[in-house]
Amino acid sequence: MVHKIVVHKLVYQYFFVYICTQIKEATMEKAFVYGMSVEGENFTDRVKETKRLKMDFENGINVILVSPRRIGKSSIVRKVMKEITHPKIKTVFMDIYDCKSEYDFYNRFASEVLKQTATKSEQVIENIKKFLVRLTPKIAFTPEPMSEYSFSLGITPQNYKPEEILQLPELIGKAQDVHIVVCIDEFQQVGEMPDSLTIQKRLRGVWQHQRNVSYCLFGSKKHLMTKLFQHRKMPFFQFGEMMYLDKIPTTDWVTFICSRFESQGKQISEDLAQRICETVEGNSSYVQQLAWNVLAETEKTTTEEDFNRGVDALLAQCSALFEEQVKGLTGYQMNFLRALNDGVTSDFGSKAILENYNLGSKSNVSRIKTALQDKEMIDFDNDKVYIEDPVFKIWFKRNVK
Ligand SMILES: Nc1ncnc2c1ncn2[C@@H]1O[C@H](COP(=O)(O)OP(=O)(O)OP(=O)(O)O)[C@@H](O)[C@H]1O
Ligand SMILES: [Mg+2]
């Protein structure tokens, strides 16, 4: 009997500790978040852009969102999607980073549109029967509470023409009497598919006539996105409003960083918060990553040493990736980066610079530039060239002779 009571007590105690841990984990807010889209307390500023994007969504305007890497495109789109409460507007989000071919894309497109415009799984099945009669999809019910089912539609060139799939949101929008905003992340993938130009023509050809659907297209590779949307001869030229997402202003970051430190019972001066931001040139993801490293070094109030250790930690976290990137470069490309590192930003074709940095010929310089831009290592601001990744820049200075 006594034995039984002790066992019961132990079970209760264990259960109590387990529940407390779960509650703590669920409520413990992260001070800084990076490497994923952010929301709530971890999302700052962007008031103007949020308002504008929301207005575009509500008014059925196509938008193309462009910015340098990891500035906050995915986060702002998800935020605006959550803010849309109008009963006649539905939003669909899809990430096509892993779609390698045209039909990969159509399968992702159709399944996300079906899932996210339905309120229940039965409605998905109903809509498949109604709009995609020739399919016999495989539906699997999953035990995870977040997605109760997954399915593969099996769309192929044999059973459906591209145009029929691309019309799906328009048909659903009409049937439900709603406007659908389709947001496609990593859209530059379309430009990488075999026979990409034909695919782009198809998409544009169908999408531009739709009444019940608008699109928000964005992606992480800025120069590929620019190629798709800003060249006159490309099918998506002037498809919608180009929106450039700028860096979050330093003053907003300072307020954000100081308050996040406070939420953890620590303190950082405005001056050091500003230096966090400046060190990584306001790159949103790196601001959060460096702030997190500095916070981890801080006992109570951040000192100069804590800040420096935070920067060292950030470099250590990135160094394996940078080493890998540098390993893949040719001697000429490295020389070009050395020139940038010394502060040269233009006139690479001049005799002095060609000789000084051993860059070969003038035409070699343009090949180097294209190759480094394709690798997303450099970018252009008017005629000036710069190293894209601010942390790579620091790492290069410290480690490469
Ligand atoms: N409004 C914001 N407030 C605070 N931090 C932000 C904000 N937007 C982005 N970040 C930070 O930047 C990181 C990257 O954000 P996000 O993934 O939205 O950028 P992205 O531009 O889509 O990146 P990629 O170019 O890789 O697709 C986030 O994990 C977060 O640390
Ligand atoms: Mg993104």
Side-chain angles (χ1 to χ4, degrees):
M1 181 68 185
V2 174
H3 177 72
K4 221 173 165 183
I5 291 172
V6 172
V7 171
H8 265 124
K9 214 173 148 191
L10 279 175
V11 169
Y12 275 125
Q13 266 176 3
Y14 175 79
F15 192 64
F16 181 71
V17 171
Y18 174 77
I19 293 289
C20 288
T21 319
Q22 294 293 310
I23 292 173
K24 197 169 164 212
E25 272 178 16
T27 52
M28 199 163 67
E29 43 169 345
K30 289 187 197 157
F32 296 102
V33 174
Y34 52 92
M36 55 172 84
S37 337
V38 285
E39 54 179 47
E41 286 288 295
N42 296 103
F43 187 98
T44 184
D45 189 56
R46 299 274 189 241
V47 178
K48 231 173 62 211
E49 296 95 329
T50 305
K51 196 171 157 207
R52 174 74 200 211
L53 198 56
K54 193 170 170 217
M55 227 172 91
D56 289 338
F57 280 19
E58 286 171 345
N59 288 281
I61 311 277
N62 295 326
V63 194
I64 295 108
L65 196 56
V66 180
S67 85
R69 289 225 64 180
R70 296 192 217 102
I71 283 289
K73 297 171 290 291
S74 306
S75 301
I76 196 174
V77 171
R78 287 184 185 274
K79 179 179 159 73
V80 170
M81 282 174 63
K82 274 200 175 156
E83 284 189 11
I84 301 274
T85 48
H86 197 292
K88 292 265 182 198
I89 301 176
K90 285 191 175 178
T91 54
V92 174
F93 185 99
M94 66 188 79
D95 188 332
I96 60 161
Y97 75 100
D98 57 343
C99 294
K100 302 278 179 244
S101 69
E102 184 176 13
Y103 272 78
D104 276 356
F105 172 67
Y106 296 144
N107 277 286
R108 174 72 41 83
F109 183 80
S111 53
E112 292 308 324
V113 167
L114 284 164
K115 260 196 239 169
Q116 295 178 47
T117 53
T119 39
K120 298 193 290 268
S121 53
E122 294 83 46
Q123 201 180 0
V124 174
I125 298 164
E126 246 170 58
N127 281 344
I128 295 176
K129 280 190 200 147
K130 200 157 149 196
F131 301 115
L132 299 168
V133 264
R134 300 196 293 280
L135 293 183
T136 37
K138 291 189 189 74
I139 300 181
F141 287 85
T142 59
E144 295 131 46
M146 290 305 283
S147 65
E148 54 190 270
Y149 59 91
S150 68
F151 58 80
S152 93
L153 291 171
I155 299 168
T156 64
Q158 282 71 43
N159 54 30
Y160 272 96
K161 280 201 258 168
E163 290 74 10
E164 293 176 283
I165 301 302
L166 293 170
Q167 269 298 75
L168 185 64
E170 175 78 349
L171 298 178
I172 294 181
K174 282 210 169 92
Q176 297 183 356
D177 189 24
V178 291
H179 181 84
I180 300 175
V181 185
V182 178
C183 306
I184 309 183
D185 202 349
E186 305 300 349
F187 188 76
Q188 76 276 342
Q189 272 300 122
V190 168
E192 302 292 279
M193 291 171 187
D195 204 10
S196 156
L197 210 56
T198 313
I199 303 172
Q200 290 170 51
K201 281 183 194 153
R202 279 189 187 128
L203 305 193
R204 168 112 203 209
V206 179
W207 288 352
Q208 71 184 354
H209 299 298
Q210 297 181 336
R211 294 264 147 261
N212 285 59
V213 194
S214 57
Y215 293 85
C216 173
L217 310 174
F218 53 110
S220 58
K221 304 206 168 160
K222 188 177 149 214
H223 84 285
L224 294 180
M225 285 294 287
T226 313
K227 261 190 207 164
L228 290 181
F229 292 97
Q230 284 178 326
H231 291 237
R232 261 173 205 290
K233 288 193 184 136
M234 297 299 274
F236 271 99
F237 182 65
Q238 293 194 329
F239 174 68
E241 173 187 310
M242 295 293 292
M243 185 168 167
Y244 295 91
L245 205 57
D246 258 336
K247 291 175 180 173
I248 293 170
T250 307
T251 47
D252 291 313
W253 275 127
V254 170
T255 316
F256 174 77
I257 295 169
C258 292
S259 81
R260 301 309 287 154
F261 268 66
E262 265 167 36
S263 76
Q264 305 294 309
K266 299 186 184 184
Q267 269 184 337
I268 184 166
S269 65
E270 285 189 359
D271 183 39
L272 283 175
Q274 182 169 336
R275 276 176 50 202
I276 290 181
C277 188
E278 285 166 359
T279 305
V280 295
E281 296 174 11
N283 173 295
S284 306
S285 184
Y286 280 140
V287 172
Q288 294 239 28
Q289 191 172 354
L290 179 54
W292 170 244
N293 280 313
V294 174
L295 180 83
E297 295 295 337
T298 302
E299 196 67 51
K300 195 87 190 102
T301 304
T302 310
T303 62
E304 186 76 25
E305 290 71 41
D306 298 335
F307 172 79
N308 290 334
R309 277 198 299 271
V311 175
D312 291 344
L314 174 65
L315 287 166
Q317 286 151 10
C318 299
S319 68
L321 174 74
F322 295 158
E323 274 161 24
E324 207 51 45
Q325 271 180 312
V326 162
K327 256 192 229 157
L329 300 182
T330 65
Y332 282 134
Q333 290 164 358
M334 280 299 278
N335 289 346
F336 191 89
L337 292 180
R338 285 190 180 95
L340 287 174
N341 186 41
D342 286 347
V344 183
T345 55
S346 55
D347 291 330
F348 289 90
S350 73
K351 194 161 172 276
I353 294 174
L354 286 179
E355 280 174 8
N356 230 345
Y357 291 97
N358 185 20
L359 296 173
S361 61
K362 228 174 159 174
S363 59
N364 196 39
V365 166
S366 74
R367 273 196 296 276
I368 299 172
K369 281 184 188 167
T370 311
L372 288 175
Q373 195 188 23
D374 283 345
K375 289 174 190 284
E376 307 259 295
M377 296 188 77
I378 60 165
D379 209 347
F380 301 88
D381 189 359
N382 293 318
D383 274 344
K384 292 202 181 343
V385 187
Y386 64 91
I387 294 180
E388 247 231 52
D389 188 320
V391 179
F392 177 78
K393 214 193 271 179
I394 306 172
W395 177 85
F396 195 88
K397 223 174 208 83
R398 285 196 189 177
N399 295 282
V400 181
K401 294 283 160 280

